[in-house]
Amino acid sequence: MKLMPLLAGTALAMTSVWAIAQDAPESLLPPGFDRPAPPPASAPPKAAPRSAPAAPSRPAATTDGRTVSAPVVQPLPERPATQTGSVAPVAADPKARIFSLDELARMTPEELEIALDLKPKTDIPPAARRSMREVGILASDEGGLSAHALAAQDAGLVRALLSRNQGRLVSRWGHILLRRALVSRLDAPRGMNPADFAALRAALLLRMGEGAAARGLIQDVDTGNFSPLLSQTAFQSYVATADFTGMCPMLLIQGNTAKDPRWDAANSICAAFRGEGNAALSQLDRQLSRGTMPRIDLLLAQKYAGAAGKARRAVKIEWDDVKELTPWRYSLALAVGLEPPAGLMKGAKGQYDAFAATAPMLGLASRAAASDRAASWGILSSAAMVDLYSQIYAQQGMPAEWSERAGTLREAYTGSDPQARLQAIQRLWETEDETGRYARKVLTAYAAARMPPEAGLSSDAGGLIASMLAAGLDRNALRWSGVVEPGSEGWALLALAAPQGGGIDAGQVSSFFGDDDSTDARKSGFLLAGLAGLGRLSAAQVKDLSGDLDLDLVRQTKWSRMIDRAAEVDNTVLVALLAGAGMQGEDWQLMTPVHLFHIVSALRNVGLEAEARMIAAEAVARG
C-alpha cells in the first residue's frame, strides 16, 4: 500500500479548499443576517430537553430593530448532544498500538485491515439483515416440515441426532426424507445457538453428499451472525462444491476462524480475484516455502489464483508423490479443469461420487461413472439420470461403454414392441453390484411405467414394479395389481405401496414367506414389518405371522421408545431425524425388521405415509 502519495493527495485537497475559500464570492445578505443574535447577558442559554422535538427557527430581535433567524443545532444521529450542542469526545483505547508509516507500508492489505481495525463486522446493510428464526431453504408451504417442531425439544438430544449420524443411509427414500427435514425452515431448539443449529444440519448434509444443499442452508444465514462452528462448516461446504470464490464474503468477515493454513490459502485466492494478483501469488509462494501445507495443495491453489487478473502464472501439477485425495485436492483439481489420476480415484472408494455426479466441470463419462452410487443413495432423481444419459447419447466420440448404455436406454423407451423394450430394460439391470442394480432401476423407472400391464409379462412384474417405485410412481405401479400373482414379489410391493391398503390376506403373506429365497428370509421380515407398520394387518395376524418368522416386532429399545414417543406428540421433524438415525449403514443387511416396523409406523402416525410406503417397498425390493 502506497501511503506517501495518499498523504500528498490529502495535503493537496486541503490546499484546494483554502484556495476555494479565498476566491469565494462576497455575501449578498443584509448585514447581520448571517450572524446569530448574541444571547442576553443576564440570562444564560438553557438546554432544551432531549426528548422534546426540535422547535422551528424563530426570528430574534437585534439592537437596531432588525430580526435575524437563530440557528438550530441538530445533534448527530444516534449520539446524544451535550448542553452546548457539541459531541462528547471518544476516549482513545490505551491498549491500541500506534504503527509507524514504515510498518504500515510493509503490511499486506489483510494485515493493514487488522492493524487499523478496518475489517467489516458484516456485509449486510441493516435493512436487509435476516432473522435467525426459521433458518432453511424449504418453507412449509413448499414441502418443508413444521418450522416449530424442534423449538421446545431438548437441545442435547437434537445435537446428538445431528452430530452422530454418519450420513450414509441404507434407504434411498430415507435419504430423501432426511434431506427434506434438514433443509426445511426450522427454529433452533431452546438453549441452542441458531447458528450452531444451522451448522450441525449443514454438516450432516455434507456427510450425506449433499454439498449444494448444505451451502444453500448456510447462505440463509447472514455472515455477521456466523458462529465459529458455522464458519468452519461453511468453509467445508464451499470446498465440497468447488466454490472457492463463493466463500470470499465469508472469509472477509470471519478471517481465519479455524487457524487453518487452508484458510490462508483461500484468502490468497480471494485476494487474486479482487485484483491483487501479485500479492496473492506472493503469499502463496511464502506458504510454499514455509511448508505450511502439502506441496500439491498449494500448487493447486496457485493454479486457481493464477487464472485471475493480469498476474497470470502457469503452474504444472504432478501427482506422482500424492498418496491420497482430500476434499481440498479433489475440488481444486476439478475447479482448474483437471481430473485426479484413476489410481487416486480408485483409492477414494466412491467418496467423491456424490459431487462428481453433479459437477458441471466434469466430463459426461466421469459423471455417468459416479451416477449409480449417487442415484442409489438418493442424490440423483430418475429424471436427472435420464437427462445425463440423453446428453451422452447426443455427444459424439463418447467411450463405447457409455454410448452403448445410452442407446440401450433409448431403446427401452422407443422399442418397436413391449418385448423389445422389456429386453432393453433388463439389459440395463445386468450388473453384479447390488447398488448399481438398484440405481439402474432408478434409471429405467419411467421406461418401466410405459410398459403395458399384460398377463404375458407377469413373471417380470416384480422388477418393473420395483423400478417404478424407485422413482415414486405408485399410481403407474398399481396398474399391475390385476396382473401379479398373489404371494409374488410384485404382489408384495403393491401391498405396501398402495395408498389405500387394507384387507391383506394372511394366507398370501404366508405364500410369500414360502417362496422367499433371500438370506435369513430378510424380505419376508421386511414385508411383515412394513404391513404391520402401515396398519394393514390385524394384531392377531401380526402375532401369528411373527411366530412363523420367529420375530418380535413389538420389542422395545431406547431408540424405538424415542421414535414412538415423537410420533405420539406428532413431531414430524424429530421422527425424521430419529428415522435417519435408525437407517444408518451401507447395506440393507444392517437393517432389522424391528427397526423398519417402528420407522414405518412412526412416519405413518405423523402424516408421512407416502414416505413410509416407499421405504417399506424399497426394503422388500432390496432386502
Side-chain angles (χ1 to χ4, degrees):
M1 180 176 180
K2 298 181 179 179
L3 295 179
M4 296 308 296
L6 176 61
L7 296 176
T10 304
L12 178 61
M14 295 180 65
T15 305
S16 301
V17 171
W18 285 111
I20 293 173
Q22 291 173 357
D23 295 335
E26 182 179 358
S27 174
L28 301 179
L29 296 174
F33 191 84
D34 56 347
R35 295 192 300 272
S42 59
K46 295 183 179 180
R50 295 181 183 179
S51 59
S57 175
R58 293 184 179 181
T62 62
T63 56
D64 57 0
R66 292 177 298 171
T67 59
V68 297
S69 298
V72 177
V73 179
Q74 181 175 344
L76 295 175
E78 301 181 359
R79 187 173 294 180
T82 63
Q83 288 188 351
T84 60
S86 62
V87 179
V90 180
D93 185 359
K95 298 181 180 179
R97 180 186 170 190
I98 300 177
F99 295 90
S100 67
L101 290 178
D102 291 339
E103 289 176 318
L104 293 173
R106 289 194 299 268
M107 290 181 180
T108 64
E110 289 75 15
E111 292 170 341
L112 192 62
E113 285 182 347
I114 297 173
L116 301 182
D117 194 23
L118 300 177
K119 186 176 289 293
K121 302 300 184 294
T122 180
D123 57 347
I124 308 295
R129 292 174 191 169
R130 293 167 292 185
S131 168
M132 291 299 290
R133 296 188 58 191
E134 298 187 17
V135 173
I137 55 179
L138 194 64
S140 56
D141 57 353
E142 298 170 331
L145 302 185
S146 174
H148 312 298
L150 299 179
Q153 294 302 312
D154 178 68
L157 171 62
V158 176
R159 182 181 295 272
L161 289 174
L162 293 173
S163 61
R164 296 180 185 176
N165 193 317
Q166 300 302 311
R168 187 65 65 231
L169 275 59
V170 299
S171 170
R172 165 182 164 82
W173 284 105
H175 177 108
I176 293 171
L177 171 63
L178 183 57
R179 177 181 61 202
R180 176 185 171 194
L182 294 173
V183 301
S184 296
R185 294 191 178 277
L186 300 176
D187 285 335
R190 182 178 55 242
M192 181 183 290
N193 183 340
D196 287 348
F197 180 51
L200 291 169
R201 291 155 60 192
L204 178 50
L205 285 167
L206 286 174
R207 294 193 296 273
M208 294 169 63
E210 297 285 356
R215 182 183 59 184
L217 175 62
I218 289 169
Q219 288 174 338
D220 197 49
V221 180
D222 290 347
T223 310
N225 293 329
F226 277 23
S227 66
L229 180 60
L230 184 56
S231 297
Q232 296 177 32
T233 309
F235 185 86
Q236 295 168 7
S237 72
Y238 283 111
V239 170
T241 53
D243 190 3
F244 292 92
T245 52
M247 69 171 69
C248 294
M250 185 267 294
L251 293 175
L252 184 65
I253 303 299
Q254 298 299 326
N256 191 344
T257 302
K259 306 303 179 184
D260 187 330
R262 295 178 305 164
W263 287 59
D264 293 331
N267 267 311
S268 299
I269 290 174
C270 293
F273 280 84
R274 288 197 300 266
E276 304 165 9
N278 291 325
L281 291 174
S282 297
Q283 292 167 11
L284 291 170
D285 286 338
R286 286 197 295 271
Q287 280 193 273
L288 189 62
S289 63
R290 295 169 184 170
T292 58
M293 293 173 64
R295 181 177 178 82
I296 184 65
D297 295 346
L298 286 169
L299 288 177
L300 287 168
Q302 284 184 338
K303 191 172 183 66
Y304 191 97
K310 297 180 180 179
R312 298 184 180 274
R313 178 189 293 185
V315 180
K316 185 178 181 181
I317 304 299
E318 296 180 347
W319 299 93
D320 296 341
D321 297 330
V322 181
K323 304 300 181 184
E324 64 176 352
L325 278 181
T326 64
W328 175 271
R329 293 170 192 171
Y330 181 76
S331 296
L332 263 179
L334 264 59
V336 298
L338 300 176
E339 288 193 42
L344 289 176
M345 292 301 301
K346 185 176 181 180
K349 298 179 180 179
Q351 178 183 352
Y352 303 102
D353 284 353
F355 175 49
T358 58
M361 67 284 287
L362 267 181
L364 293 174
S366 298
R367 291 175 57 191
S371 65
D372 278 357
R373 285 181 181 269
S376 66
W377 290 337
I379 295 171
L380 283 184
S381 66
S382 177
M385 290 195 75
V386 171
D387 181 67
L388 174 61
Y389 277 96
S390 298
Q391 295 179 62
I392 292 173
Y393 182 82
Q395 183 72 40
Q396 299 293 329
M398 291 295 297
E401 177 185 0
W402 307 113
S403 59
E404 290 174 4
R405 189 176 299 174
T408 304
L409 180 63
R410 186 175 189 276
E411 186 179 352
Y413 278 92
T414 63
S416 57
D417 56 74
Q419 195 62 39
R421 298 202 299 273
L422 177 62
Q423 290 176 359
I425 290 173
Q426 291 175 334
R427 286 200 303 273
L428 290 170
W429 293 347
E430 292 175 356
T431 176
E432 296 180 359
D433 180 29
E434 190 279 330
T435 298
R437 188 160 51 250
Y438 186 71
R440 305 291 175 77
K441 289 184 176 178
V442 176
L443 173 64
T444 60
Y446 288 93
R450 300 180 72 246
M451 294 293 296
E454 299 175 353
L457 302 176
S458 60
S459 60
D460 304 299
L464 293 171
I465 292 172
S467 181
M468 287 181 263
L469 295 180
L473 305 177
D474 53 351
R475 294 185 179 181
N476 299 83
L478 287 173
R479 295 167 55 221
W480 291 77
S481 57
V483 175
V484 296
E485 292 290 335
S488 65
E489 182 169 325
W491 168 88
L493 294 175
L494 293 180
L496 293 167
Q500 302 297 329
I504 302 297
D505 187 347
Q508 295 174 347
V509 178
S510 296
S511 177
F512 180 87
F513 290 176
D515 295 335
D516 184 10
D517 59 356
S518 62
T519 304
D520 299 327
R522 188 174 288 111
K523 287 179 179 285
S524 297
F526 289 156
L527 173 61
L528 177 59
L531 291 173
L534 291 170
R536 298 183 179 181
L537 292 172
S538 66
Q541 288 175 319
V542 172
K543 182 177 180 181
D544 292 342
L545 293 169
S546 296
D548 295 343
L549 299 175
D550 195 21
L551 288 176
D552 182 12
L553 293 181
V554 296
R555 178 171 60 87
Q556 290 285 352
T557 65
K558 181 179 180 180
W559 169 85
S560 67
R561 284 190 289 270
M562 291 172 63
I563 195 170
D564 290 347
R565 177 57 182 160
E568 288 177 9
V569 298
D570 196 28
N571 194 319
T572 55
V573 179
L574 191 56
V575 165
L577 295 181
L578 286 163
M583 287 188 282
Q584 295 181 76
E586 295 283 351
D587 192 285
W588 274 95
Q589 294 180 2
L590 300 176
M591 175 64 72
T592 68
V594 174
H595 279 72
L596 182 65
F597 165 72
H598 288 285
I599 289 171
V600 171
S601 177
L603 292 176
R604 170 176 169 262
N605 289 336
V606 296
L608 298 174
E609 184 171 347
E611 289 81 356
R613 291 186 288 110
M614 293 301 104
I615 290 173
E618 181 188 354
V620 173
R622 303 180 69 180

